[in-house]
Amino acid sequence: MSSFRIFAAISLGLSLATLSGCETTTSGGAVGANRSQLMLVSSEQLAQMAAQSYAKLQADASRKGTLNQDRAMLQRVRTIASRLEPQTRVFRADAPGWKWEVNVITSNDLNAFCMPGGKIMVYSGLINQLHLTDDEIAIVLGHEISHALREHSREQVSQAMAAQTAIGVGAALFGLGEGSAGLANAGYEALIATRFSRTDESEADRIGLELAARAGYDPRAGVTLWQKMINAKSGGHTPEFLSSHPADSSRIQEIQSLLPTVMPLYAASGRR
Ligand SMILES: [Zn+2]
């Protein structure tokens, strides 16, 4: 074996070693969120997919005339996000330095998400139809930001790859015969239309409550937010956000059980 081949073999081995195996994406914080996760793709690969998908989403909305039309709502959401962002350092040191982006799409949809790397999108219907307060918006954003901090999408793609079911996503990630359009579509499926597990949802609730409390938003809004969600569900059809975020009494009970942990952080924030 030539020295080059040996070097190449070692390099490949090392890169696979760094990509496979378990790790935790965050420190535990007060709420304890450092479960070990299976990761088979790199953060950089997911961030690239996210950036492309987010740009496509913005371009599509801009063409339809629905991007950032409500300037007052945009300002409101960006102000709340800007108070949450620095708090992310409790869970991971790199997150405050992410290229955060916050935009609002005018839509009747009840939806919001934060893609890997801090790309936030809020649909106006969520705020308008549920008449959300600033505290409740902070709980929603805190929850969605937490999915990005914990890299739940990366974990989900990794689990799918381990099960060899994410052929399209895997092919796109590794550039196997997919154009950039294919990459953006795969990104949409993996990063926007994601259905997280109940474990992921619980982690995002816990971290999100702590982020909101530290930023000076009342964590008790977690209870009223999810009560509003339950009412929205019982009003007829199930909104997009609720099909991926089950609203039920057990969720509210878990949030209530965390209040003694996060209320002191809210009090210490000095922003009540
Ligand atoms: Zn969620």
Side-chain angles (χ1 to χ4, degrees):
M1 197 183 263
S2 72
S3 59
F4 173 76
R5 282 193 172 179
I6 291 170
F7 174 76
I10 290 172
S11 300
L12 182 64
L14 280 178
S15 65
L16 287 176
T18 51
L19 284 178
S20 58
C22 294
E23 57 185 275
T24 176
T25 48
T26 58
S27 308
V31 294
N34 48 4
R35 173 181 57 84
S36 179
Q37 300 166 280
L38 173 71
M39 295 299 192
L40 299 176
V41 292
S42 70
S43 294
E44 291 71 25
Q45 285 171 310
L46 259 283
Q48 189 194 350
M49 276 174 69
Q52 289 191 24
S53 300
Y54 194 74
K56 181 175 184 292
L57 192 66
Q58 281 179 281
D60 289 348
S62 187
R63 218 170 12 249
K64 289 183 204 155
T66 58
L67 185 67
N68 298 333
Q69 291 301 296
D70 186 338
R71 302 305 292 187
M73 182 183 288
L74 177 66
Q75 191 54 49
R76 190 176 170 211
V77 171
R78 283 187 172 168
T79 298
I80 296 167
S82 71
R83 277 171 59 178
L84 293 167
E85 286 159 20
Q87 307 305 327
T88 58
R89 83 163 46 81
V90 172
F91 294 95
R92 42 188 302 170
D94 64 326
W98 285 355
K99 293 193 182 103
W100 293 88
E101 289 187 66
V102 184
N103 291 287
V104 173
I105 286 179
T106 300
S107 163
N108 289 328
D109 293 341
L110 277 62
N111 204 3
F113 53 81
C114 178
M115 291 167 69
K119 312 292 187 202
I120 295 171
M121 191 66 79
V122 175
Y123 292 70
S124 60
L126 184 69
I127 294 174
N128 285 335
Q129 293 183 37
L130 299 186
H131 307 289
L132 297 187
T133 65
D134 282 7
D135 293 314
E136 289 164 345
I137 293 172
I139 298 290
V140 170
L141 294 184
H143 175 99
E144 294 305 317
I145 287 170
S146 302
H147 281 308
L149 294 177
R150 288 288 295 158
E151 299 190 63
H152 285 148
S153 296
R154 182 173 158 228
E155 185 180 8
Q156 197 167 69
V157 168
S158 300
Q159 287 167 344
M161 286 172 67
Q164 295 188 314
T165 55
I167 294 165
V169 172
L173 280 173
F174 295 110
L176 305 175
E178 292 270 359
S180 61
L183 188 66
N185 288 335
Y188 179 85
E189 292 301 324
L191 305 174
I192 299 175
T194 313
R195 297 282 178 273
F196 293 116
S197 70
R198 288 306 286 255
T199 301
D200 292 348
E201 285 303 307
S202 173
E203 285 178 355
D205 278 348
R206 279 150 54 204
I207 297 174
L209 275 188
E210 180 165 343
L211 291 176
R214 287 182 184 277
Y217 292 104
D218 191 338
R220 289 170 292 192
V223 175
T224 56
L225 169 74
W226 288 103
Q227 279 168 344
K228 285 182 178 180
M229 296 277 191
I230 289 174
N231 293 341
K233 187 172 60 173
S234 61
H237 73 293
T238 300
E240 170 74 19
F241 191 81
L242 286 174
S243 59
S244 56
H245 292 82
D248 51 38
S249 56
S250 67
R251 182 164 213 148
I252 291 176
Q253 278 167 12
E254 194 185 357
I255 288 170
Q256 277 170 330
S257 73
L258 284 164
L259 290 180
T261 306
V262 293
M263 282 303 284
L265 300 174
Y266 173 51
S269 74
R271 296 193 89 146
R272 279 195 288 179

